[in-house]
Amino acid sequence: MTANQPPELDKVFGSAFIRIGILLGLVLAGYLFYKHATKPEIEIISANEVRLQRQNDGHYHISGTINGSPIRFMVDTGASMVSVSEHVAKQAGLECEQDAIFTTANGKIKGCVDRQVEVAFGGYRLFDVDIAIMPNMDGIALLGMNALGKFNLQQSDGTLVIQHKQPE
């Protein structure tokens, strides 16, 4: 090759693609490190309270059980009852004791209620909780106000604090 001839295109493009690949790999590694380093702690449980960090979906989530069966609840102060899908109900051994019609954001839905169920979350255990069993909930469980109403809830700066209510 003489001084006036352009470099071979395959060498130029090959070198550029390698550099771009390395750069993209570094950017991806940095992004994954950032996401891991800034991921909020999900649950902090102490003797007197539970602290939850709002998750990327904008909701608060907490681990718990229904009749001893492990479940992941989404805290829903807009739900009047603890509510589960038919799939979750089956896993927890729940049975329909009473048919019911529920008013949801998507309209009225026919479901049923199981009564006197044990619900636990964050070190708290509640007995005799009514649970709504609803179709088409995609395997989720909502921790509603018939359970949450027994506690003080305080939300500030993306943190939800759940504490026992003090006797009046």
Side-chain angles (χ1 to χ4, degrees):
M1 172 162 78
T2 63
N4 294 338
Q5 289 183 334
E8 295 180 29
L9 288 178
D10 59 342
K11 288 183 182 178
V12 171
F13 284 123
S15 176
F17 283 125
I18 289 172
R19 287 185 179 126
I20 291 171
I22 290 171
L23 179 63
L24 288 175
L26 290 173
V27 168
L28 178 62
Y31 173 76
L32 292 175
F33 175 78
Y34 169 79
K35 288 297 280 184
H36 178 72
T38 60
K39 185 176 181 182
E41 224 175 292
I42 296 173
E43 301 174 11
I44 301 172
I45 301 169
S46 68
N48 300 324
E49 67 183 31
V50 174
R51 289 183 174 268
L52 305 175
Q53 296 297 311
R54 184 175 23 231
Q55 298 303 295
N56 292 336
D57 65 0
H59 299 283
Y60 298 97
H61 300 267
I62 188 166
S63 300
T65 62
I66 296 176
N67 285 343
S69 180
I71 192 75
R72 187 88 178 140
F73 289 108
M74 182 175 81
V75 176
D76 188 351
T77 57
S80 57
M81 295 179 69
V82 175
S83 303
V84 299
S85 67
E86 292 171 328
H87 176 73
V88 171
K90 186 176 181 180
Q91 287 180 325
L94 302 180
E95 296 179 5
C96 288
E97 292 184 14
Q98 179 181 358
D99 289 336
I101 302 291
F102 301 101
T103 302
T104 71
N106 295 324
K108 295 190 183 283
I109 295 177
K110 184 177 179 182
C112 61
V113 176
D114 193 349
R115 301 195 180 281
Q116 300 178 339
V117 177
E118 177 186 310
V119 174
F121 63 94
Y124 300 124
R125 180 168 287 164
L126 303 173
F127 300 94
D128 299 331
V129 178
D130 291 350
I131 294 188
I133 302 170
M134 299 175 37
N136 304 324
M137 280 188 57
D138 296 331
I140 64 170
L142 303 177
L143 191 57
M145 288 307 293
N146 65 331
L148 293 171
K150 300 175 184 333
F151 301 91
N152 287 323
L153 306 175
Q154 294 179 326
Q155 180 180 343
S156 177
D157 296 326
T159 300
L160 177 66
V161 178
I162 304 172
Q163 298 174 318
H164 273 294
K165 281 190 175 178
Q166 299 299 322
E168 296 179 19

